[in-house]
Amino acid sequence: METILEQQRSYHEERERTMDAMVKEILQKKTGHRETINADHRLKNLHDRYIESTIRLKELYEDKDGLRKEEIAALSGPNEFSEFYSRLKQIKEFHRKHPNEICVPMSVEFEELGKLRENPAEDFTTPVEFTDEEGYGKYLDLHECYDKYINLKGIEKVDYITYLSIFDHLFDIPRERKNSDYRNYIRALLTYLKDFVSRVKPLLDQAQEMALAHQEFVKQWEAGTFPGWPKETGGALTNVGAHLDLSAFSSWEELASLGLDRLKSALMALGLKCGGTLEERAQRLFSTKGQTALDKSLVAKKGGNKAKASAHQRHKDIAAIEAQAYRFATLVGSTRAATIENVTRRAARAAGERRDESDDDSDTSVVADIDSDDDEVPYNPKNLPLGWDGKPIPYWLYKLHGLNISYSCEICGNYTYKGPKAFQRHFAEWRHAHGMRCLGIPNTAHFANVTQIEDALALWEKIKNQKEGERFVAENDEEFEDSQGNVVNRKTYEDLKRQGLL
């Protein structure tokens, strides 16, 4: 078990090496979008590691259990030599019990990080996952949110490209349509936007962004200026109520001449029930004339106020989620524009392909009408591949192209290829490239015609060892010349210089 002081030294070393690695990572020039995202994730991991080691180091310095103080007292006390030999004995005993224990220094780990940073082409790890639609963070993939949106009741149905342009126009949706299904939809939208931003911009402080969005929301909500949620359009009379002097009225018929709204305002000011017809309201209000105590049967119940308060809080929660969605939609503004352009381009390309296919289908239908006398199922006892006319190709052509020879590739999952041409072509196709990527091997020309996993791994180790041997090593390859003209390498020169033999 490491001592407290050794743990502190280790954490100090980890903090310094982590800080140095972060500085080098920031200064390293990035050449592409993928490399930039990977570098940001490496920087985020280093930052989290720095914070974690700092917290642990602070806990050791606080010394709440007093172990650090006892250890320092043992080292500086009168029996420091006995303490030293007892610890030496513990170390020897540990290595006697574990003779094959290997201690990897921290510098080796950071050297590996430095190699990956300087040679990003050799880094086959993916610190973050993206879907095919997202293109490693270049585009948004809002198909699931789009499906939820078009299934909302009372919402105008739009296509996906239009949805990409208006998915943050939540203020255009009527207030009465914002129910529980709508709340589930905006929660799903906000969850995706937060997840996408965390993958594309890992260094962004999302907690701070959400706090700023909440502060701005609270100000706008209290002022009644939040988009899509204006204050209820009701005058002071209908909301708060205004007292009415009943001494000027001699009957409830005279009160009825004031109208429904004025009677409702007067009833609300007294805390009475304000529903019913015009006559009922007038009679209810006139019955309070000259009374010092109100009839309990006429007093309005407080349950309605609770329901209104609950509905108000529910609306406020939905609006708070909308405020966060607005904030994160602003953060992905450039990605959103690129997504619209990409989807539009793909849709235009797909339309052209569909047009070409329709032309081919029309040509095929014309040929089918001409050859209507032919059999629908061609005679093919040897299971030969079909030609352009839908009939089996000649057997001599089948053997000429070598289609009777099968080639299997273990890297492709034991997939079988017919003919040498298809076999040679598959080395540049996606299936073989995916298999090589799963093995952590680049799909280069060195591995042409290699189909066995064991052979590919052995060749990759040989290539790495060869590159390691060809790499420039200053101690062995750098040459020095002494005063007598002798040429030696750097290591020999420094050894002779320390011994004074030059």
Side-chain angles (χ1 to χ4, degrees):
M1 180 179 178
E2 293 183 347
T3 61
I4 303 297
L5 296 180
E6 175 59 24
Q7 293 180 23
Q8 289 182 335
R9 184 210 63 78
S10 176
Y11 287 139
H12 276 295
E13 179 186 2
E14 185 176 4
R15 291 175 75 250
E16 293 179 1
R17 291 187 181 276
T18 306
M19 180 63 71
D20 180 66
M22 285 193 291
V23 172
K24 292 180 180 179
E25 188 69 60
I26 295 174
L27 297 178
Q28 183 71 21
K29 186 177 180 181
K30 284 76 176 178
T31 57
H33 176 77
R34 184 188 187 96
E35 186 178 343
T36 302
I37 292 181
N38 291 344
D40 288 344
H41 279 277
R42 289 196 297 268
L43 195 60
K44 178 67 166 55
N45 295 334
L46 290 172
H47 178 265
D48 294 342
R49 183 173 179 177
Y50 181 86
I51 296 298
E52 183 181 358
S53 60
T54 303
I55 293 175
R56 293 182 178 178
L57 186 61
K58 181 182 177 182
E59 293 176 354
L60 291 178
Y61 273 114
E62 290 176 353
D63 194 21
K64 295 181 180 179
D65 52 3
L67 295 179
R68 180 174 178 271
K69 185 177 180 180
E70 295 177 0
E71 184 176 342
I72 294 177
L75 292 175
S76 59
N79 299 324
E80 65 271 14
F81 288 105
S82 61
E83 180 70 20
F84 170 78
Y85 285 112
S86 65
R87 295 192 178 189
L88 179 61
K89 181 180 179 181
Q90 293 177 1
I91 295 174
K92 290 182 178 179
E93 183 68 19
F94 175 82
H95 285 284
R96 185 184 65 81
K97 294 181 179 179
H98 308 86
N100 298 324
E101 186 74 18
I102 299 177
C103 179
V104 180
M106 193 181 300
S107 58
V108 175
E109 179 184 357
F110 284 90
E111 286 176 2
E112 293 294 332
L113 292 176
K115 291 179 182 178
L116 295 179
R117 180 178 61 250
E118 296 172 359
N119 301 311
E122 298 181 2
D123 186 9
F124 301 103
T125 60
T126 53
V128 61
E129 295 292 337
F130 290 96
T131 63
D132 295 338
E133 186 76 17
E134 291 172 337
Y136 213 84
K138 292 182 179 180
Y139 313 112
L140 296 171
D141 184 7
L142 291 172
H143 285 87
E144 293 185 4
C145 297
Y146 171 70
D147 293 338
K148 293 180 180 293
Y149 176 80
I150 61 177
N151 287 322
L152 294 176
K153 293 182 179 180
I155 302 299
E156 181 182 359
K157 303 300 185 289
V158 295
D159 57 3
Y160 182 63
I161 298 178
T162 306
Y163 173 75
L164 290 173
S165 304
I166 66 169
F167 73 83
D168 61 338
H169 293 183
L170 303 175
F171 48 82
D172 291 338
I173 300 177
R175 186 171 184 170
E176 59 274 7
R177 300 294 181 185
K178 296 182 177 181
N179 49 20
S180 59
D181 293 336
Y182 171 79
R183 180 171 54 187
N184 295 334
Y185 158 69
I186 59 174
R187 281 179 177 174
L189 177 63
L190 178 61
T191 301
Y192 173 79
L193 292 177
K194 291 169 62 176
D195 178 66
F196 182 81
V197 170
S198 66
R199 288 179 291 157
V200 176
K201 300 178 181 179
L203 299 177
L204 182 67
D205 190 356
Q206 290 195 13
Q208 182 180 4
E209 294 292 335
M210 294 177 64
L212 293 176
H214 183 70
Q215 292 177 2
E216 185 177 357
F217 161 73
V218 171
K219 294 179 181 178
Q220 293 180 348
W221 181 264
E222 293 177 353
T225 59
F226 187 74
W229 297 91
K231 282 189 175 181
E232 294 184 359
T233 58
L237 296 180
T238 57
N239 284 336
V240 179
H243 287 277
L244 182 63
D245 186 9
L246 300 178
S247 60
F249 300 93
S250 59
S251 64
W252 65 267
E253 288 84 358
E254 296 179 4
L255 282 175
S257 63
L258 297 178
L260 287 170
D261 293 338
R262 186 64 185 92
L263 293 178
K264 178 180 180 181
S265 173
L267 290 171
M268 290 179 62
L270 295 175
L272 302 179
K273 298 177 181 179
C274 55
T277 63
L278 179 63
E279 292 77 8
E280 292 175 350
R281 295 184 186 183
Q283 293 174 2
R284 189 182 308 128
L285 182 60
F286 189 76
S287 64
T288 62
K289 182 179 178 179
Q291 301 293 330
T292 57
L294 298 177
D295 188 359
K296 294 183 179 180
S297 62
L298 301 179
V299 178
K301 296 181 179 179
K302 297 183 179 180
N305 296 331
K306 292 183 179 179
K308 290 182 179 179
S310 177
H312 179 77
Q313 184 62 35
R314 183 170 64 253
H315 292 165
K316 185 176 180 180
D317 295 341
I318 294 176
I321 301 175
E322 290 182 357
Q324 297 179 8
Y326 291 146
R327 188 78 175 189
F328 281 92
T330 305
L331 295 176
V332 298
S334 58
T335 309
R336 174 188 189 175
T339 304
I340 296 175
E341 181 182 354
N342 179 56
V343 174
T344 306
R345 182 174 61 252
R346 290 174 56 185
R349 187 188 309 156
E353 292 176 355
R354 287 195 297 268
R355 186 165 52 252
D356 295 340
E357 290 177 359
S358 63
D359 294 341
D360 295 340
D361 292 341
S362 62
D363 295 340
T364 305
S365 62
V366 173
V367 174
D369 293 338
I370 296 174
D371 300 335
S372 58
D373 296 336
D374 296 341
D375 296 333
E376 294 182 0
V377 180
Y379 179 69
N380 189 10
K382 294 187 178 181
N383 197 20
L384 300 177
L386 303 180
W388 63 271
D389 55 354
K391 297 180 180 180
I393 64 174
Y395 187 67
W396 62 268
L397 185 61
Y398 175 76
K399 296 191 66 175
L400 178 65
H401 288 289
L403 299 179
N404 57 333
I405 304 175
S406 300
Y407 300 89
S408 62
C409 180
E410 185 181 4
I411 298 177
C412 298
N414 294 323
Y415 192 83
T416 303
Y417 298 92
K418 295 289 186 179
K421 186 176 181 180
F423 176 70
Q424 291 295 334
R425 188 171 58 245
H426 98 279
F427 288 103
E429 294 178 348
W430 68 269
R431 183 179 285 105
H432 191 82
H434 176 72
M436 296 289 284
R437 186 163 58 251
C438 293
L439 295 175
I441 303 175
N443 190 22
T444 59
H446 301 86
F447 300 91
N449 298 324
V450 177
T451 59
Q452 299 295 323
I453 296 178
E454 183 178 358
D455 298 342
L457 293 175
L459 181 57
W460 174 234
E461 290 294 331
K462 181 179 179 182
I463 292 175
K464 288 197 296 185
N465 295 334
Q466 184 178 359
K467 288 184 177 180
E468 187 68 25
E470 295 175 355
R471 184 170 297 178
F472 177 80
V473 181
E475 293 184 355
N476 299 328
D477 299 337
E478 192 174 0
E479 296 182 344
F480 286 79
E481 183 178 356
D482 60 5
S483 58
Q484 298 180 359
N486 300 321
V487 178
V488 294
N489 58 26
R490 179 177 179 177
K491 185 175 183 303
T492 305
Y493 179 82
E494 292 179 352
D495 292 342
L496 295 176
K497 183 177 179 180
R498 283 195 295 267
Q499 296 175 15
L501 299 179
L502 293 178

